[in-house]
Amino acid sequence: MADLAAQGETPEILFWVGCAGAFDDRYKRVTRAFVRILEHVGVKYAVLGMEESCTGDPAKRAGNEFLFQMQAMQNITTLNGYGIKKVVTACPHCFNTIKNEYPALGGEYEVIHHSTFLQQLINEGRVKVEGGESYKGRRITFHDSCYLGRSNNIYEAPRAVLEALDADLVEMKRSKANGLCCGAGGAQMWKEPEPGKKDVNIERTEEALATLDGNAAALDNLYGVESGNAGATPAPKANGQGSIIAVGCPFCMTMMSDGVKNKERENNVQVFDLAELVASAEGLNA
Amino acid sequence: MHFSIQNFLFLLVAIAGFGLFAWQARKIRANISVGRDRDMSGNVSERLNKTLLVAFGQSKMFKRLTPAFLHLIVYVGFLVINVEVIEIMVDGIFGTHRFLQFLGPVYDVLMATNEILGALVIVAVVAFWWRRNRKPPVRRFQGPELRAWPKLDANIILYVEVILMAALFTMNTADLKLHQLRGTEMPGTFPISGLLVGLFPSSEAALHVLERVGWWAHIIGILCFLNYLPSSKHFHIIMAFPNVYYSRLVPQGQFSNVESITHEVKAMMDPSYEVPAPATAPDGSALAPTPFGAKDVNDLAWTNLLNAYSCTECGRCTSVCPANITGKLLSPRKIIMDTRDRMEEKYNSPLIFSPNLYGQEAKHESQEVLDKENHTLLRGYVTPEELWACTTCNACVEACPVNINPLESIVEMRRFLVLEESAAPNSLNVMFSNIENNGAPWAFSPSDRFNWADDLYVAEKEVVTA
Ligand code: SF4
Ligand code: SF4
């Protein structure tokens, strides 16, 4: 961003990479996939690079309001300094914080989650999701992240992206507003869970796996499933190709991947971010 | 119209009943207003809309069809039967008999609906009773916070509803039979009572007594019930409306920014920033600084306290809570019930019946050793372990049929733990210092922030879709 500013230019969008996108090895791949898409469609974008700092989300959810506001003010100063108007991010936590909590502290931007952004690209025909890997007939289930769904009412965009892939989209019983947390939110990502019967990500992974496998018996044993939810679609057994748990959040990614490993299902179930799926469908993985 | 000692008596009973209720309502109002100030004015039309939809329209109930349907019967029954209560009041005061009969055919429809709803209410109540008392009950009616009083309370409500309906039918059936014996036409249509006349005696005197017994039992029952409400979860039939009206309109993910901290941080970043003068008491003396976050009920916003009086203890929040589902101690319903218990322990205790307190048995062992001095909402009722189990996922907020927000109270208490007591779990303190020192919750150097770009165009297809 600093380079661009030195040339006297402002980008169309600022891509907010987020800490996980910058440091987490798995999520760095998502960052790269998304950047490839941006370059592919020729959007003028910039990243803050080393000038980016944690949004303060984990501090705020953990109750450390002071630290949160320090982070927020610092980031707002940076963003305002560059005259940023539009921010895109692949992290629902960054998205929620910048969109909802920064305005009161002087940071007003148009903030877009990458699922919405990808949906727009597909709608505008700038991304065709063909020419690369085909997902036809592969079973995909989307895990709603709380900070995208319940917190900000974004349920359709990620699904629209997945539908464009022409895959076999199946819904978990607990989905959309009734979705179950992956267990990482509210700063849980950085601490051991409190003692209990099992970890949240295991419960959620079991549900995802049962949905992908069409295992109705396992689904019946889940707690808290809304009886009025007709959205669940336990389908017949999938074909040989691996099924996919799609996510739109770095923490969900970690939690679901750990869950799949814990259940020893890595051989036939993979966890991908929306951006990765779109990039490979578009043939951008070179 | 003929006045008698009965009308005089009725007037006394009614005044006593409503007076007592007003007295209790004032105490509760006082309890709620110990909460911190929060401006909830404005957005009237949006708020009214929400109230219509969520409170009157029960829109959030329909996530679960069976209880929604049963509840709808009782709710509509309550609304319609209230019309008859108006009639009873007028009759009682002015000595009229079935005053609304001037409505003619409308009266027929009204009475018929009333009776059918009354019968359905009894059916629904039996179903409710079964859901709660079968072994094991519906999962959300279990849980450590639902023992003793809350459990009894829920059943009392059901029993009273049956008694009220029975009184109504006694009154109508006796009246109907009286008219039949005298060969006169009784105004209104009474499909259920019509079926019951056979069971009633044929003596006019006895019928007259039965009619009066039904009438008095119904109205006295209602007045007693009205005064029972403030001690009960059933208070939600009143409080749900203001509670929904004053619920938050911002996205659920948006947490409040603490304003006093904003001033401090601004002053740190910009030395020329002028921090507004702290609030002073009316006599000009400085007020004690308010703590960050919430340790006790009076540190919560008044809306959080209003929440506590609106809770129906239905457990929808707890049954969708990921922490609770996976066996952790956290139960959002318990946090809300604790808040109400603590308010009534510290401030105005209710009222006529024994308090809501669900007592010692529901507390965790570690709490019992706490000394009375430290008996605040935080630690006295809610343990840090419960608070730290929350993933701030908003499932409880989404699930609550009366728009209660347990998450807000949880975060306020976390704020107190972190900012006033530095009592966060150690791993979170590590995370805090990472953010402070590296600008990221992990211990990575900020200079590595751009490393992801290094291998942007390295072939990694086999990695991605292995
Ligand atoms: S926000 Fe917290 S208390 Fe509410 S359902 Fe989620 S984890 Fe449970
Ligand atoms: S907070 Fe809401 S959902 Fe939870 S028990 Fe109370 S009324 Fe039910």
Side-chain angles (χ1 to χ4, degrees), chain A residues 27-100:
Chain A
Y27 222 65
K28 276 195 231 172
R29 302 217 298 258
V30 177
T31 306
R32 289 193 284 264
F34 189 61
V35 163
R36 281 192 215 105
I37 297 171
L38 289 176
E39 298 195 338
H40 174 67
V41 297
V43 176
K44 209 162 118 196
Y45 74 99
V47 293
L48 286 178
M50 290 166 208
E51 288 180 90
E52 192 182 294
S53 191
C54 174
T55 57
D57 160 83
K60 187 175 187 92
R61 312 300 135 187
N64 197 337
E65 180 71 9
F66 199 83
L67 180 54
F68 161 73
Q69 292 207 9
M70 295 286 289
Q71 290 297 120
M73 300 272 190
Q74 188 187 330
N75 284 321
I76 289 169
T77 309
T78 311
L79 290 168
N80 289 353
Y82 288 126
I84 300 297
K85 298 273 176 304
K86 195 166 168 182
V87 179
V88 175
T89 178
C91 173
H93 294 264
C94 298
F95 167 76
N96 175 68
T97 305
I98 302 177
K99 174 174 172 281
N100 295 323

Coordinates of all heavy atoms in Angstrom, one line a residue, chain A residues 27-100:
Chain A
Y27 N -3.9 -21.0 6.0 CA -4.7 -19.9 5.5 C -3.9 -19.0 4.6 O -4.5 -18.3 3.8 CB -5.3 -19.1 6.6 CG -6.8 -18.8 6.3 CD1 -7.7 -19.8 6.1 CD2 -7.2 -17.5 6.0 CE1 -9.0 -19.5 5.8 CE2 -8.5 -17.2 5.6 CZ -9.4 -18.3 5.5 OH -10.7 -18.0 5.1
K28 N -2.6 -19.1 4.6 CA -1.8 -18.3 3.6 C -2.2 -18.8 2.2 O -2.2 -18.0 1.3 CB -0.3 -18.6 3.9 CG 0.3 -17.7 4.9 CD 1.8 -17.8 4.8 CE 2.5 -18.1 6.1 NZ 3.9 -18.3 6.0
R29 N -2.5 -20.1 2.1 CA -2.9 -20.6 0.8 C -4.2 -19.9 0.3 O -4.4 -19.7 -0.9 CB -3.1 -22.1 0.9 CG -1.8 -22.8 1.3 CD -1.6 -24.2 0.6 NE -2.7 -25.1 0.8 CZ -2.6 -26.1 1.7 NH1 -1.5 -26.3 2.4 NH2 -3.6 -27.0 1.8
V30 N -5.1 -19.6 1.3 CA -6.3 -19.0 0.9 C -6.0 -17.5 0.5 O -6.6 -17.0 -0.5 CB -7.3 -19.0 2.1 CG1 -8.5 -18.2 1.8 CG2 -7.6 -20.4 2.5
T31 N -5.1 -16.9 1.2 CA -4.7 -15.5 0.9 C -4.2 -15.5 -0.6 O -4.6 -14.6 -1.4 CB -3.6 -15.0 1.8 OG1 -4.1 -15.2 3.1 CG2 -3.3 -13.6 1.6
R32 N -3.4 -16.4 -0.9 CA -2.8 -16.5 -2.2 C -3.9 -16.8 -3.3 O -3.9 -16.1 -4.3 CB -1.7 -17.5 -2.3 CG -0.4 -17.1 -1.5 CD 0.8 -18.0 -1.8 NE 0.7 -19.3 -1.2 CZ 1.3 -19.6 -0.1 NH1 2.0 -18.7 0.6 NH2 1.2 -20.8 0.5
A33 N -4.7 -17.7 -3.0 CA -5.8 -18.0 -3.9 C -6.6 -16.8 -4.2 O -7.0 -16.5 -5.4 CB -6.7 -19.1 -3.4
F34 N -6.9 -16.0 -3.1 CA -7.8 -14.9 -3.3 C -7.1 -13.8 -4.1 O -7.6 -13.1 -5.0 CB -8.2 -14.3 -2.0 CG -9.3 -13.2 -2.1 CD1 -10.5 -13.5 -2.7 CD2 -9.0 -11.9 -1.6 CE1 -11.5 -12.5 -2.8 CE2 -10.0 -11.0 -1.8 CZ -11.2 -11.2 -2.3
V35 N -5.8 -13.6 -3.9 CA -5.0 -12.6 -4.6 C -4.9 -13.0 -6.1 O -5.1 -12.2 -7.0 CB -3.6 -12.5 -4.0 CG1 -2.6 -11.9 -5.0 CG2 -3.6 -11.8 -2.7
R36 N -4.8 -14.3 -6.4 CA -4.8 -14.7 -7.8 C -6.1 -14.4 -8.4 O -6.1 -14.0 -9.6 CB -4.5 -16.2 -7.8 CG -3.1 -16.6 -7.7 CD -2.9 -18.0 -8.0 NE -1.8 -18.6 -7.2 CZ -2.1 -19.4 -6.2 NH1 -3.3 -19.9 -6.0 NH2 -1.1 -19.9 -5.4
I37 N -7.2 -14.6 -7.7 CA -8.5 -14.2 -8.3 C -8.5 -12.7 -8.6 O -8.9 -12.3 -9.7 CB -9.6 -14.6 -7.4 CG1 -9.7 -16.1 -7.2 CG2 -11.0 -14.1 -7.9 CD1 -10.6 -16.6 -6.1
L38 N -8.0 -11.9 -7.6 CA -8.1 -10.5 -7.8 C -7.2 -10.1 -9.0 O -7.7 -9.2 -9.8 CB -7.5 -9.8 -6.5 CG -8.3 -9.8 -5.3 CD1 -7.5 -9.2 -4.1 CD2 -9.6 -9.1 -5.5
E39 N -6.1 -10.7 -9.2 CA -5.2 -10.3 -10.3 C -5.8 -10.8 -11.6 O -5.8 -10.2 -12.6 CB -3.8 -10.9 -10.1 CG -3.2 -10.3 -8.8 CD -1.7 -10.4 -8.7 OE1 -1.2 -11.4 -9.3 OE2 -1.1 -9.6 -8.0
H40 N -6.5 -12.0 -11.5 CA -7.1 -12.6 -12.7 C -8.2 -11.7 -13.3 O -8.3 -11.5 -14.5 CB -7.7 -14.0 -12.3 CG -8.5 -14.6 -13.4 ND1 -8.0 -15.1 -14.5 CD2 -9.8 -14.9 -13.4 CE1 -8.9 -15.6 -15.3 NE2 -10.1 -15.5 -14.6
V41 N -9.0 -11.1 -12.4 CA -10.0 -10.2 -12.9 C -9.6 -8.8 -13.1 O -10.3 -7.9 -13.5 CB -11.3 -10.3 -12.0 CG1 -11.9 -11.7 -12.0 CG2 -11.0 -9.8 -10.6
G42 N -8.4 -8.5 -12.6 CA -7.8 -7.2 -12.8 C -8.4 -6.1 -12.0 O -8.6 -5.0 -12.4
V43 N -8.7 -6.5 -10.7 CA -9.1 -5.4 -9.8 C -7.9 -4.7 -9.3 O -6.9 -5.3 -9.0 CB -9.9 -6.1 -8.6 CG1 -10.3 -5.0 -7.6 CG2 -11.1 -6.8 -9.1
K44 N -8.0 -3.4 -9.2 CA -6.8 -2.7 -8.6 C -6.9 -2.8 -7.1 O -7.8 -2.2 -6.4 CB -6.9 -1.2 -9.0 CG -5.5 -0.6 -9.1 CD -5.6 0.6 -10.0 CE -5.2 1.9 -9.2 NZ -5.6 3.1 -9.8
Y45 N -6.1 -3.6 -6.5 CA -6.2 -3.8 -5.1 C -4.8 -3.5 -4.4 O -3.8 -3.3 -5.1 CB -6.5 -5.2 -4.8 CG -5.4 -6.2 -5.0 CD1 -4.6 -6.7 -3.9 CD2 -5.1 -6.6 -6.2 CE1 -3.6 -7.6 -4.1 CE2 -4.0 -7.5 -6.4 CZ -3.3 -8.0 -5.4 OH -2.2 -8.8 -5.6
A46 N -4.8 -3.4 -3.1 CA -3.6 -3.2 -2.4 C -3.7 -3.9 -1.0 O -4.8 -4.2 -0.6 CB -3.4 -1.7 -2.1
V47 N -2.6 -4.2 -0.4 CA -2.6 -4.8 0.9 C -1.8 -3.9 1.8 O -0.9 -3.2 1.3 CB -2.1 -6.2 1.0 CG1 -3.0 -7.2 0.3 CG2 -0.7 -6.3 0.4
L48 N -2.0 -3.9 3.1 CA -1.2 -3.0 4.0 C 0.1 -3.6 4.3 O 1.0 -2.9 4.7 CB -2.0 -2.7 5.3 CG -3.2 -1.8 5.2 CD1 -3.8 -1.7 6.6 CD2 -2.7 -0.4 4.7
G49 N 0.3 -4.9 4.1 CA 1.5 -5.6 4.4 C 1.9 -5.4 5.9 O 1.1 -5.6 6.8
M50 N 3.1 -4.9 6.1 CA 3.6 -4.8 7.5 C 2.8 -3.7 8.3 O 2.9 -3.7 9.5 CB 5.0 -4.6 7.5 CG 5.8 -5.8 7.1 SD 7.5 -5.3 6.8 CE 8.0 -6.5 5.5
E51 N 2.1 -2.9 7.6 CA 1.4 -1.8 8.3 C 0.1 -2.3 8.9 O -0.6 -1.6 9.6 CB 1.1 -0.6 7.4 CG 2.4 0.1 7.1 CD 2.1 1.3 6.2 OE1 1.8 2.4 6.7 OE2 2.1 1.1 5.0
E52 N -0.3 -3.5 8.5 CA -1.6 -4.1 9.0 C -1.3 -4.6 10.4 O -0.2 -5.1 10.7 CB -2.1 -5.2 8.1 CG -3.5 -5.7 8.4 CD -3.8 -6.8 7.5 OE1 -3.9 -6.6 6.3 OE2 -4.0 -8.0 8.0
S53 N -2.3 -4.5 11.3 CA -2.2 -5.0 12.7 C -3.5 -5.7 13.0 O -4.5 -5.4 12.4 CB -1.8 -3.9 13.6 OG -1.4 -4.4 14.9
C54 N -3.4 -6.5 14.0 CA -4.6 -7.2 14.5 C -5.8 -6.2 14.7 O -5.6 -5.2 15.2 CB -4.4 -7.9 15.8 SG -5.8 -8.7 16.5
T55 N -7.0 -6.6 14.2 CA -8.1 -5.7 14.3 C -8.5 -5.5 15.8 O -9.2 -4.5 16.1 CB -9.4 -6.2 13.6 OG1 -9.7 -7.5 14.2 CG2 -9.2 -6.3 12.1
G56 N -8.1 -6.4 16.6 CA -8.5 -6.3 18.0 C -9.6 -7.2 18.4 O -10.1 -7.3 19.5
D57 N -10.2 -7.9 17.4 CA -11.3 -8.8 17.7 C -11.1 -9.8 18.8 O -12.0 -9.8 19.7 CB -11.8 -9.5 16.4 CG -12.6 -10.8 16.7 OD1 -13.8 -10.6 16.8 OD2 -12.1 -11.9 16.7
P58 N -10.1 -10.5 18.8 CA -10.0 -11.5 19.9 C -9.8 -10.8 21.3 O -10.4 -11.3 22.3 CB -8.7 -12.3 19.6 CG -8.0 -11.6 18.5 CD -9.0 -10.7 17.9
A59 N -9.2 -9.7 21.3 CA -9.1 -8.9 22.6 C -10.4 -8.5 23.0 O -10.8 -8.6 24.2 CB -8.1 -7.7 22.4
K60 N -11.2 -8.0 22.1 CA -12.5 -7.4 22.5 C -13.5 -8.5 23.0 O -14.1 -8.4 24.0 CB -13.2 -6.7 21.3 CG -14.5 -6.0 21.7 CD -15.0 -5.2 20.5 CE -16.2 -4.4 21.0 NZ -15.8 -3.1 21.4
R61 N -13.5 -9.7 22.2 CA -14.4 -10.8 22.7 C -13.9 -11.3 24.0 O -14.7 -11.9 24.8 CB -14.5 -11.9 21.7 CG -14.7 -11.6 20.2 CD -15.9 -10.8 19.9 NE -15.5 -9.8 19.0 CZ -16.3 -8.8 18.5 NH1 -17.5 -8.7 18.9 NH2 -15.8 -7.9 17.7
A62 N -12.6 -11.3 24.3 CA -12.2 -11.8 25.6 C -12.4 -10.8 26.7 O -12.1 -11.1 27.8 CB -10.7 -12.2 25.5
G63 N -12.9 -9.6 26.4 CA -13.1 -8.6 27.4 C -12.1 -7.5 27.6 O -12.2 -6.6 28.4
N64 N -11.0 -7.6 26.7 CA -10.0 -6.6 26.9 C -10.2 -5.4 26.0 O -9.6 -5.2 24.9 CB -8.6 -7.2 26.5 CG -7.5 -6.3 27.0 OD1 -7.6 -5.1 27.3 ND2 -6.3 -6.9 27.2
E65 N -11.2 -4.6 26.4 CA -11.7 -3.5 25.6 C -10.5 -2.5 25.4 O -10.5 -1.8 24.3 CB -12.8 -2.8 26.3 CG -13.5 -1.6 25.6 CD -14.3 -2.0 24.4 OE1 -14.5 -3.2 24.1 OE2 -14.7 -1.1 23.7
F66 N -9.7 -2.3 26.3 CA -8.6 -1.4 26.2 C -7.7 -1.7 25.0 O -7.4 -0.9 24.2 CB -7.8 -1.3 27.5 CG -7.0 -0.1 27.7 CD1 -7.6 1.1 28.2 CD2 -5.7 -0.1 27.3 CE1 -6.9 2.2 28.3 CE2 -5.0 1.1 27.5 CZ -5.6 2.3 27.9
L67 N -7.3 -2.9 25.0 CA -6.4 -3.4 24.0 C -7.1 -3.3 22.6 O -6.5 -2.9 21.6 CB -5.9 -4.8 24.3 CG -5.0 -5.5 23.3 CD1 -3.7 -4.6 23.0 CD2 -4.6 -6.9 23.7
F68 N -8.3 -3.7 22.6 CA -9.1 -3.6 21.4 C -9.1 -2.2 20.8 O -8.8 -1.9 19.6 CB -10.5 -4.0 21.6 CG -11.5 -3.5 20.5 CD1 -11.4 -4.1 19.2 CD2 -12.3 -2.5 20.7 CE1 -12.2 -3.6 18.2 CE2 -13.1 -2.0 19.7 CZ -13.1 -2.6 18.4
Q69 N -9.4 -1.2 21.6 CA -9.5 0.1 21.1 C -8.1 0.7 20.7 O -8.0 1.5 19.7 CB -10.1 1.1 22.2 CG -11.6 0.7 22.3 CD -12.5 1.8 22.8 OE1 -12.0 3.0 22.8 NE2 -13.7 1.6 23.2
M70 N -7.1 0.3 21.4 CA -5.7 0.7 21.0 C -5.5 0.2 19.5 O -5.0 0.9 18.7 CB -4.6 0.0 21.9 CG -4.7 0.5 23.3 SD -4.0 2.2 23.5 CE -2.3 1.9 23.1
Q71 N -5.8 -1.1 19.3 CA -5.6 -1.7 18.0 C -6.5 -1.0 16.9 O -6.0 -0.7 15.8 CB -5.9 -3.2 18.0 CG -5.0 -4.0 18.8 CD -3.6 -4.0 18.2 OE1 -2.6 -3.7 18.8 NE2 -3.5 -4.4 16.9
A72 N -7.7 -0.8 17.3 CA -8.7 -0.2 16.4 C -8.2 1.2 16.0 O -8.1 1.5 14.8 CB -10.0 -0.1 17.0
M73 N -7.8 2.0 16.9 CA -7.4 3.4 16.6 C -6.2 3.4 15.7 O -6.1 4.2 14.8 CB -7.1 4.2 17.9 CG -8.2 4.2 18.9 SD -9.2 5.7 18.6 CE -10.3 5.6 20.1
Q74 N -5.3 2.5 16.0 CA -4.1 2.4 15.2 C -4.4 2.1 13.8 O -3.9 2.7 12.8 CB -3.2 1.4 15.9 CG -1.8 1.3 15.3 CD -1.1 0.0 15.8 OE1 -1.3 -0.3 17.0 NE2 -0.2 -0.5 15.1
N75 N -5.2 1.0 13.6 CA -5.6 0.6 12.3 C -6.4 1.7 11.5 O -6.2 1.9 10.3 CB -6.4 -0.7 12.3 CG -5.5 -1.9 12.6 OD1 -4.4 -1.9 12.0 ND2 -6.0 -2.8 13.4
I76 N -7.3 2.4 12.3 CA -8.1 3.4 11.7 C -7.2 4.5 11.2 O -7.4 5.1 10.1 CB -9.2 3.9 12.7 CG1 -10.2 2.8 12.9 CG2 -9.8 5.2 12.2 CD1 -11.2 3.1 14.0
T77 N -6.2 4.9 12.0 CA -5.3 5.9 11.6 C -4.6 5.5 10.3 O -4.5 6.3 9.3 CB -4.2 6.2 12.7 OG1 -4.9 6.3 13.9 CG2 -3.4 7.4 12.4
T78 N -4.1 4.3 10.2 CA -3.5 3.8 9.0 C -4.4 3.9 7.8 O -4.1 4.5 6.7 CB -3.0 2.4 9.1 OG1 -2.3 2.3 10.4 CG2 -2.1 1.9 8.0
L79 N -5.6 3.3 7.9 CA -6.6 3.2 6.8 C -7.0 4.6 6.4 O -7.0 4.9 5.2 CB -7.8 2.4 7.2 CG -7.6 0.9 7.4 CD1 -8.8 0.3 8.1 CD2 -7.3 0.3 6.0
N80 N -7.3 5.5 7.3 CA -7.7 6.8 7.0 C -6.6 7.6 6.3 O -6.8 8.4 5.4 CB -8.2 7.6 8.2 CG -9.6 7.1 8.7 OD1 -10.2 6.2 8.0 ND2 -10.0 7.5 9.8
G81 N -5.4 7.3 6.8 CA -4.2 8.0 6.2 C -4.1 7.7 4.7 O -3.6 8.6 4.0
Y82 N -4.5 6.5 4.3 CA -4.4 6.2 2.9 C -5.7 6.5 2.1 O -5.8 6.2 1.0 CB -4.1 4.7 2.7 CG -2.6 4.4 3.1 CD1 -2.3 3.4 4.0 CD2 -1.6 5.0 2.4 CE1 -1.0 3.1 4.3 CE2 -0.3 4.7 2.8 CZ 0.0 3.8 3.7 OH 1.3 3.5 4.0
G83 N -6.6 7.0 2.9 CA -7.9 7.4 2.2 C -8.7 6.2 1.7 O -9.3 6.2 0.7
I84 N -8.6 5.1 2.5 CA -9.3 3.8 2.0 C -10.8 4.0 2.2 O -11.3 4.5 3.1 CB -8.8 2.7 2.9 CG1 -7.3 2.4 2.8 CG2 -9.6 1.4 2.6 CD1 -6.8 2.1 1.4
K85 N -11.5 3.5 1.1 CA -13.0 3.6 1.1 C -13.6 2.2 1.2 O -14.6 2.0 1.8 CB -13.5 4.2 -0.2 CG -13.0 5.7 -0.4 CD -13.9 6.6 0.3 CE -13.4 8.1 0.2 NZ -12.1 8.3 0.7
K86 N -12.9 1.2 0.6 CA -13.5 -0.1 0.5 C -12.5 -1.1 1.0 O -11.4 -1.2 0.5 CB -13.9 -0.3 -1.0 CG -14.8 -1.4 -1.3 CD -15.3 -1.2 -2.7 CE -16.0 -2.4 -3.2 NZ -16.5 -2.3 -4.6
V87 N -13.0 -2.0 1.8 CA -12.1 -3.0 2.4 C -12.7 -4.4 2.1 O -13.9 -4.6 2.3 CB -12.0 -2.9 3.9 CG1 -11.1 -4.0 4.5 CG2 -11.4 -1.5 4.3
V88 N -11.9 -5.3 1.6 CA -12.4 -6.7 1.4 C -11.5 -7.6 2.3 O -10.3 -7.4 2.4 CB -12.3 -7.1 0.0 CG1 -12.6 -8.6 -0.2 CG2 -13.1 -6.3 -0.9
T89 N -12.2 -8.5 3.0 CA -11.4 -9.4 3.8 C -11.9 -10.8 3.8 O -13.1 -11.0 3.5 CB -11.3 -8.9 5.3 OG1 -10.6 -9.9 6.1 CG2 -12.7 -8.8 5.9
A90 N -11.1 -11.8 4.0 CA -11.5 -13.2 4.0 C -11.8 -13.7 5.4 O -12.2 -14.9 5.6 CB -10.5 -14.1 3.3
C91 N -11.7 -12.8 6.3 CA -11.9 -13.2 7.7 C -13.2 -12.6 8.3 O -13.3 -11.4 8.4 CB -10.7 -12.8 8.6 SG -11.0 -13.1 10.3
P92 N -14.2 -13.4 8.7 CA -15.4 -12.8 9.2 C -15.2 -12.0 10.5 O -16.0 -11.1 10.8 CB -16.3 -14.1 9.5 CG -15.7 -15.2 8.6 CD -14.2 -14.9 8.5
H93 N -14.2 -12.4 11.2 CA -13.9 -11.6 12.5 C -13.4 -10.2 12.1 O -13.9 -9.2 12.7 CB -13.0 -12.4 13.4 CG -13.6 -13.7 13.8 ND1 -14.2 -13.8 15.0 CD2 -13.7 -14.9 13.2 CE1 -14.6 -15.1 15.2 NE2 -14.3 -15.7 14.1
C94 N -12.5 -10.1 11.2 CA -12.0 -8.8 10.8 C -13.2 -8.1 10.2 O -13.4 -6.9 10.4 CB -10.9 -9.0 9.7 SG -9.4 -9.8 10.4
F95 N -13.9 -8.8 9.3 CA -15.1 -8.2 8.7 C -16.0 -7.5 9.7 O -16.4 -6.3 9.6 CB -15.8 -9.2 7.8 CG -17.1 -8.9 7.3 CD1 -17.3 -8.0 6.2 CD2 -18.3 -9.4 7.9 CE1 -18.5 -7.7 5.7 CE2 -19.5 -9.1 7.4 CZ -19.6 -8.2 6.3
N96 N -16.4 -8.3 10.7 CA -17.4 -7.8 11.6 C -16.9 -6.6 12.4 O -17.5 -5.7 12.6 CB -17.7 -9.0 12.6 CG -18.7 -8.5 13.7 OD1 -19.8 -8.2 13.5 ND2 -18.1 -8.5 14.9
T97 N -15.6 -6.8 12.8 CA -15.0 -5.7 13.7 C -14.9 -4.4 12.9 O -15.3 -3.3 13.4 CB -13.6 -6.2 14.2 OG1 -13.8 -7.4 14.8 CG2 -13.1 -5.2 15.1
I98 N -14.3 -4.5 11.7 CA -14.1 -3.2 10.9 C -15.5 -2.7 10.5 O -15.7 -1.5 10.5 CB -13.2 -3.5 9.7 CG1 -11.9 -4.1 10.1 CG2 -13.0 -2.2 8.9 CD1 -11.0 -4.5 9.0
K99 N -16.4 -3.5 10.1 CA -17.7 -3.1 9.6 C -18.5 -2.5 10.7 O -19.1 -1.4 10.6 CB -18.4 -4.2 8.9 CG -19.8 -3.9 8.5 CD -20.4 -5.0 7.7 CE -21.9 -4.8 7.4 NZ -22.7 -5.1 8.6
N100 N -18.6 -3.2 11.9 CA -19.5 -2.8 12.9 C -19.0 -2.0 14.0 O -19.7 -1.2 14.7 CB -20.2 -4.0 13.5 CG -21.1 -4.7 12.4 OD1 -21.7 -4.1 11.6 ND2 -21.1 -6.1 12.5

